[in-house]
């Protein structure tokens, strides 16, 4: 995990849009968001993770927050995503660089999913972002994860940190987080997870996770023997693939 994170941080620092912003924003007023969640569930939001295709058209109605994103690190993988996000947050903090993180699930409060410099977003700010998504979606059906992802992107675009770290919910290619083009893509590990959605074996799952790769951008994999499908996908997409054992230890 440490090597993955160091490579990701080093590469994101080379992005021409990288602009170090120091310090933290003031705390926002807090109030209960339980009523908001009750409304969301009563509105029939599904509990699934996918798909980006449903969410993409809504970005225009939200003011195109994806166009105002800082350099982005995507984190995908079967295991180790959360710890990788946490280590990158810690590295950025040690360097005095402002960082936004979006990860799931939360432990105690939903606010933990969206953090700025390691601190969960406040209720008032979170609910403002929920309202933006609700107003934009109109009659469009969204999953719980899609709704939350769109809200997180709105918050990150507004706060404008130096770097954003976005954890994929499931898979990669069709995940709502993949709405955003990654400047650095990290795949921590590849196991047999969510096979009904991602495929029956590591080769099928590896190709799905490789969907977060982008042409000409760094792609880092923590596996020392990644599936051939992942290596092939990196080649097809033109991503700069580095993986454990061959390129770093």
């Amino acid at each position: 995990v440490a090597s993955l994170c160091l490579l990701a941080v080093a590469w994101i620092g080379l992005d021409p849009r990288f602009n170090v912003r120091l310090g933290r924003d003031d705390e926002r007023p807090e109030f209960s968001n339980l009523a908001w969640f009750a409304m969301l569930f009563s509105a029939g939001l599904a509990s699934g993770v996918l798909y980006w295709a449903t969410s993409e058209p809504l970005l225009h109605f939200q003011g195109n927050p994806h166009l105002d994103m800082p350099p982005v690190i995507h984190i995908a993988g079967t295991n180790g995503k959360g710890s990788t996000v946490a280590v990158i947050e810690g590295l950025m903090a040690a360097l005095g660089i402002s960082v936004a993180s979006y990860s799931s699930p939360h432990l105690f409060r939903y606010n933990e999913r969206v953090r700025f410099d390691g601190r969960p977003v406040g209720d008032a700010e979170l609910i403002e972002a929920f309202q933006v998504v609700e107003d934009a979606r109109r009659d469009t059906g969204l999953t719980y994860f899609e709704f939350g992802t769109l809200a997180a992107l709105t918050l990150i675009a507004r706060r404008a940190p130096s770097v954003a770290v976005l954890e994929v919910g499931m898979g990669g290619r069709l995940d709502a987080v993949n709405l955003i083009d990654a400047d650095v893509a990290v795949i921590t590990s590849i196991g047999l997870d969510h096979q009904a959605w991602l495929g029956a074996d590591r080769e099928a799952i590896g190709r799905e996770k490789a969907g977060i790769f982008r042409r000409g951008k760094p792609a880092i994999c923590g596996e020392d023997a990644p599936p051939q499908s992942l290596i092939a996908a990196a080649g097809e997409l033109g991503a700069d693939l580095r993986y454990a054992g061959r390129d770093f230890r």
Side-chain angles (χ1 to χ4, degrees):
V1 169
S3 297
L4 286 178
C5 296
L6 287 169
L7 280 172
V9 170
W11 258 317
I12 208 70
L14 298 176
D15 190 288
R17 295 172 296 136
F18 184 71
N19 180 27
V20 174
R21 179 181 166 205
L22 304 178
R24 295 178 174 179
D25 294 301
D26 293 334
E27 285 288 349
R28 304 297 181 108
E30 299 280 328
F31 56 88
S32 173
N33 54 24
L34 291 178
W36 238 100
F37 285 112
M39 187 280 289
L40 294 183
F41 285 113
S42 66
L45 288 186
S47 60
V49 173
L50 307 178
Y51 289 103
W52 67 261
T54 306
S55 306
E56 188 175 32
L58 297 183
L59 291 173
H60 171 70
F61 294 103
Q62 288 180 242
N64 296 309
H66 61 302
L67 301 181
D68 295 319
M69 294 293 284
V72 170
I73 302 173
H74 275 355
I75 312 293
T78 303
N79 295 306
K81 295 193 297 293
S83 56
T84 299
V85 172
V87 171
I88 291 176
E89 275 185 323
L91 287 170
M92 293 296 179
L95 294 169
I97 298 169
S98 64
V99 57
S101 301
Y102 173 55
S103 60
S104 60
H106 56 278
L107 293 178
F108 300 106
R109 302 181 70 224
Y110 186 93
N111 309 54
E112 298 164 19
R113 294 185 178 219
V114 185
R115 300 182 300 280
F116 294 95
D117 298 320
R119 297 189 300 177
V121 66
D123 282 0
E125 195 173 4
L126 178 63
I127 289 172
E128 286 176 12
F130 283 164
Q131 191 64 60
V132 169
V133 179
E134 179 65 15
D135 292 343
R137 81 179 184 98
R138 301 176 185 174
D139 296 327
T140 302
L142 293 174
T143 66
Y144 179 88
F145 187 78
E146 285 174 321
F147 196 103
T149 299
L150 290 170
L153 297 181
T154 298
L155 289 164
I156 293 168
R158 287 179 175 178
R159 286 279 199 109
S162 297
V163 178
V165 185
L166 308 179
E167 180 185 335
V168 168
M170 181 173 71
R173 181 175 65 91
L174 294 176
D175 191 86
V177 166
N178 206 31
L179 284 163
I180 305 300
D181 292 329
D183 297 289
V184 176
V186 176
I187 296 179
T188 57
S189 63
I190 300 166
L192 299 179
D193 63 326
H194 303 291
Q195 290 167 276
W197 291 90
L198 305 179
D201 53 34
R202 289 180 76 246
E203 291 296 328
I205 294 170
R207 179 165 286 276
E208 287 296 318
K209 294 187 188 299
I212 66 172
F213 295 166
R214 293 296 189 270
R215 182 171 300 279
K217 299 293 186 178
I220 309 167
C221 181
E223 296 256 349
D224 57 8
Q228 287 301 308
S229 61
L230 183 145
I231 296 172
E236 293 164 8
L237 293 167
D240 182 9
L241 178 64
R242 311 294 176 92
Y243 60 85
R246 187 192 71 172
D247 301 299
F248 63 91
R249 295 185 182 277

